[in-house]
Amino acid sequence: MTLRRLRTLRTLLAGAAALVLTAAAAGCGGADAPNAAVRPDGSVDLSKVTLRIGDQKGGQQALLGAAGELDGLPYKVTWNQFTSGPPLLEAVHAGALDFGAVGNTPPVFAAAAGSDIKIVAAADIGLTGQAVLVPKDSPIRTPADLKGKRIGVAKGSSAHYHLLTVLKKAGLGFADIQPQYLAPPDAMAALSRGGLDAWAIWDPYTAQGQTQAGARVLVDGRGYTTGYNLIVAAEKALEDKAKVAALRDYLTRQRRALVWANANVKGWGAVWSRDTGLPLAVAEEAARRRAARLIKVDDALVRNEQLVADAFRDEKLIPGSVDIAKFVDRRFNDIEVENK
């Protein structure tokens, strides 16, 4: 094929690709296309809205379902399961999800990577289920004993920050250990077969490690970290009037469900047991120690999240500084639900 014919073919292929993309945009609704869920008078038809939600094991779907808050939803919902917060927020940034629930650290790593995300709601859960586990007969007795040890942790997760604070209080840093960046199921398997000296993790995996691997808690989260459970949304979703209306309804239900779980530990534990495969007694204990306190996306939350960001910056685990204030959206703070 001559160079001239090759250039012509490339031009034709490029033109065909452009036509396909234009047709796809027209079929799916381009940026300037009207939103079918928004009526001419500006009101929203929620029946035409679909929320794409990222979830984790024993998470939002199980909680809202147990509390009866998924009954009679006026909009559609699709659920997508993840092993931890960092990949969930990658999906939010990529446009595959509208929002999801994560711990205190994934938004920091997402922000450091330039993700288009905003923290829109928050709760503070109990810290006894946030733990550094070690094998039952391990000689490790204090955080200082972690020096030089192989420690499993999900990179960019709440456990990552918890581990960092535990090490720091013991006069150590990540350079003093052998971090093993593993998803929770892989870390669980590694701890069980002796491939890890310790594991930084959260419930329900903490409970699973205690019951199925016979692990013991070296230290929990009290005095080290926050128990933030954060709802993080895509900026694109927050620019969509219809999705914002559906998200407001969802957040109201989600916050009612958290209050319900605090008052119905046995009922929530039973659902959590079925959802996670944990023994009933263990699931109930995990549910009890994750009791949530509803909080707002306020200055205190921004300050505490900034501490997380600064700690990872100082350890050179994220590139440069992150201004957390730029990654919050306070418009849903007016949602009032009784906090028992």
Side-chain angles (χ1 to χ4, degrees), residues 116-198:
D116 297 323
I117 53 101
K118 289 285 195 293
I119 298 169
V120 297
D124 201 2
I125 62 176
L127 289 169
T128 52
Q130 183 86 49
V132 177
L133 299 178
V134 296
K136 182 179 180 180
D137 299 324
S138 171
I140 298 173
R141 294 293 169 181
T142 69
D145 296 332
L146 294 172
K147 186 174 182 178
K149 299 299 190 290
R150 301 162 301 171
I151 306 176
V153 65
K155 189 173 185 178
S157 68
S158 61
H160 199 177
Y161 178 63
H162 179 213
L163 177 59
L164 176 58
T165 59
V166 169
L167 294 173
K168 188 174 181 179
K169 276 196 174 183
L172 304 172
F174 268 78
D176 297 305
I177 65 168
Q178 300 178 56
Q180 310 293 306
Y181 293 120
L182 300 169
D186 297 326
M188 172 71 181
L191 187 76
S192 299
R193 65 171 181 265
L196 292 175
D197 299 305

Side-chain angles (χ1 to χ4, degrees), residues 260-335:
W260 172 88
N262 290 348
N264 296 272
V265 171
K266 286 188 176 295
W268 171 219
V271 173
W272 210 4
S273 175
R274 292 195 298 271
D275 192 65
T276 62
L278 290 170
L280 179 59
V282 174
E284 285 183 3
E285 177 58 26
R288 185 175 294 106
R289 62 193 185 192
R290 280 180 62 91
R293 179 175 61 87
L294 303 183
I295 60 175
K296 295 184 183 298
V297 179
D298 58 11
D299 291 346
L301 181 143
V302 171
R303 284 195 301 272
N304 286 328
E305 285 294 285
Q306 191 64 54
L307 290 175
V308 178
D310 293 347
F312 280 105
R313 177 204 61 200
D314 293 345
E315 282 283 324
K316 295 180 172 56
L317 293 171
I318 59 172
S321 299
V322 173
D323 184 358
I324 293 298
K326 295 179 179 179
F327 294 89
V328 299
D329 188 322
R330 307 185 190 214
R331 79 178 81 173
F332 302 101
N333 277 348
D334 61 340
I335 296 175

